[in-house]
Amino acid sequence: MSTTQPLTGPVADRPAGENLLEVRGLQKHFPLRQGIIFQRQIGAVRAVDGIDFSVGAGESLGLVGESGCGKSTTGRLITRLLEPTGGSVVFDGEDITHRPAARMPRARRNLQMIFQDPYSSLNPRHTVGTIIETPMRLGGIKPPQGHKKRAQELLETVGLNPEHYNRYPNEFSGGQRQRIGIARALALRPKLIVADEPVSALDVSIQAQVVNLLQDLQREFGIAFVFIAHDLAVVRHFSERVAVMYLGKIVEVADREALYTRPRHPYTHALLSAVPDADPDATQRRERIRLAGDVPSPIDPPSGCRFRTRCWKAQDRCATEEPPLLRAEGSEAGHLTACHFPEDPSVTAREEDIVLDPALG
């Protein structure tokens, strides 16, 4: 990354310990309707169903889970690309939960998003320069050096040639397009960026480059991140804290060291056991867990604990009482788990592998 023309990053001006983003009881239910003329609501998809988390200034929070658990919907709710059904989103001291778009200019400047697909997120009819300059023009930002010079500086910052200013997106590879999307997100000098699986559509050889670029930008400009991904290895490399989602709920939150070496929720244990072992010849074998069946439908989720239908520790209480997100006995401060019967804090091999699906035995 070039540093010959350093950019002025956002100032983390909030007091230490005060959160930049506060999410409380956030919900998004998509209605299911029946009928052609008089559409009657017959149910709802509970994509996000009451989640709480916070992000401090300059901090990176990873959001992980299986496909369909509500990660991307959460990102769009935070950035107000979707209207929440319930709960609250407080960003930089302002409640933006239901704020109209016309009253969002300040929040929009400080809250940006990097999208998953670098092909569909860039307008093919616009040049790279126009794509990067548009947020500045819409936000009323007039850099002293002019929009063009600022856009070229941003291109250089993300590792592209400033001469690419007049080219079109179809002239670039997927990794280069994602760098353009990152430059666009940086144009307004945001305090928080929501990165929605920013490397999942890229070749493996390019993923590390983009993740390292984002990490460099975070350190250089003090930007906070909500990093959404299903790749646990990428999240561990990038995020300081990690929240695990399952079927619209957050089931565990901890700093990355505690979560990856001392997880407490059974679902987190299952996720980590599925990560390929980087050292298959290691003397200490890791636990192996094979879950039964698919994730239940968010239209009619299980009562009580939503993971109970696939959990080897489920008891009667799990079906009648939803577990709150609390600190489990023996966990560090800030390590929260939503489980009535949390697992031991270890990922080492068990006496017997857990195999819940006979077909996989």
Side-chain angles (χ1 to χ4, degrees):
M1 183 180 68
S2 174
T3 56
T4 55
Q5 293 177 305
L7 303 176
T8 303
V11 180
D13 55 359
R14 300 181 68 78
E18 189 173 350
N19 293 317
L20 180 64
L21 176 70
E22 288 273 1
V23 173
R24 292 291 175 263
L26 190 62
Q27 295 179 329
K28 182 59 182 179
H29 297 173
F30 295 96
L32 292 175
R33 304 186 184 278
Q34 189 177 60
I36 299 176
I37 300 177
F38 301 104
Q39 292 192 343
R40 179 172 57 91
Q41 183 172 339
I42 59 172
V45 177
R46 301 179 184 181
V48 177
D49 203 20
I51 61 173
D52 304 317
F53 65 89
S54 59
V55 182
E59 182 189 22
S60 59
L61 173 73
L63 202 56
V64 302
E66 293 175 273
S67 297
C69 70
K71 306 185 302 294
S72 294
T73 302
T74 299
R76 282 162 170 73
L77 291 171
I78 295 170
T79 53
R80 287 301 320 281
L81 297 179
L82 289 175
E83 182 74 13
T85 303
S88 65
V89 178
V90 178
F91 174 68
D92 202 18
E94 297 182 47
D95 189 337
I96 63 171
T97 312
H98 300 292
R99 180 167 294 182
R103 296 175 53 199
M104 286 280 292
R106 181 174 177 271
R108 286 276 183 246
R109 283 197 297 270
N110 292 316
L111 182 58
Q112 291 291 300
M113 189 164 187
I114 299 171
F115 296 92
Q116 176 178 359
D117 188 354
Y119 294 88
S120 62
S121 62
L122 302 179
N123 192 326
R125 294 184 176 87
H126 290 173
T127 64
V128 169
T130 300
I131 290 170
I132 299 175
E133 289 178 7
T134 298
M136 292 186 279
R137 296 184 186 278
L138 293 177
I141 294 179
K142 299 178 180 179
Q145 69 272 45
H147 289 117
K148 180 177 180 179
K149 184 65 175 178
R150 170 68 173 166
Q152 290 177 324
E153 287 181 359
L154 286 165
L155 286 172
E156 190 172 8
T157 298
V158 299
L160 295 176
N161 193 322
E163 296 178 1
H164 293 162
Y165 176 88
N166 290 315
R167 294 188 179 182
Y168 288 86
N170 67 291
E171 301 179 57
F172 297 90
S173 66
Q176 290 174 320
R177 293 187 194 202
Q178 196 63 292
R179 289 173 186 266
I180 295 168
I182 294 170
R184 177 177 59 185
L186 289 173
L188 298 179
R189 301 175 183 175
K191 294 182 178 181
L192 174 69
I193 290 179
V194 177
D196 183 13
E197 304 213 30
V199 298
S200 63
L202 306 179
D203 291 338
V204 175
S205 60
I206 305 299
Q207 290 182 2
Q209 297 177 22
V210 174
V211 171
N212 289 335
L213 169 63
L214 292 174
Q215 206 163 38
D216 290 342
L217 294 172
Q218 183 198 15
R219 292 168 181 163
E220 186 173 350
F221 303 135
I223 302 172
F225 272 85
V226 175
F227 192 90
I228 299 168
H230 62 267
D231 190 326
L232 292 168
V234 171
V235 172
R236 184 174 191 174
H237 177 71
F238 186 84
S239 302
E240 302 162 32
R241 282 195 306 131
V242 182
V244 180
M245 285 193 72
Y246 181 80
L247 203 61
K249 294 279 190 180
I250 290 181
V251 297
E252 188 164 8
V253 182
D255 68 78
R256 64 181 166 198
E257 180 64 23
L259 189 102
Y260 282 82
T261 60
R262 300 180 296 280
R264 302 306 306 271
H265 198 281
Y267 178 62
T268 309
H269 276 261
L271 279 182
L272 292 174
S273 74
V275 177
D277 198 339
D279 185 9
D281 299 324
T283 55
Q284 191 175 48
R285 197 169 65 88
R286 293 173 51 193
E287 62 183 346
R288 294 178 60 197
I289 300 171
R290 298 179 181 178
L291 296 179
D294 298 322
V295 179
S297 170
I299 300 173
D300 185 23
S303 62
C305 175
R306 298 191 172 185
F307 185 62
R308 66 177 176 82
T309 58
R310 307 170 75 196
C311 183
W312 58 95
K313 302 191 74 174
Q315 299 183 27
D316 292 343
R317 181 185 178 187
C318 301
T320 59
E321 184 181 339
E322 182 178 335
L325 190 63
L326 300 173
R327 178 183 175 185
E329 184 178 351
S331 297
E332 300 90 337
H335 190 159
L336 308 178
T337 308
C339 182
H340 296 306
F341 309 102
E343 283 280 338
D344 293 332
S346 171
V347 292
T348 56
R350 304 166 186 259
E351 292 184 4
E352 292 184 5
D353 294 341
I354 294 176
V355 181
L356 297 184
D357 190 344
L360 298 176

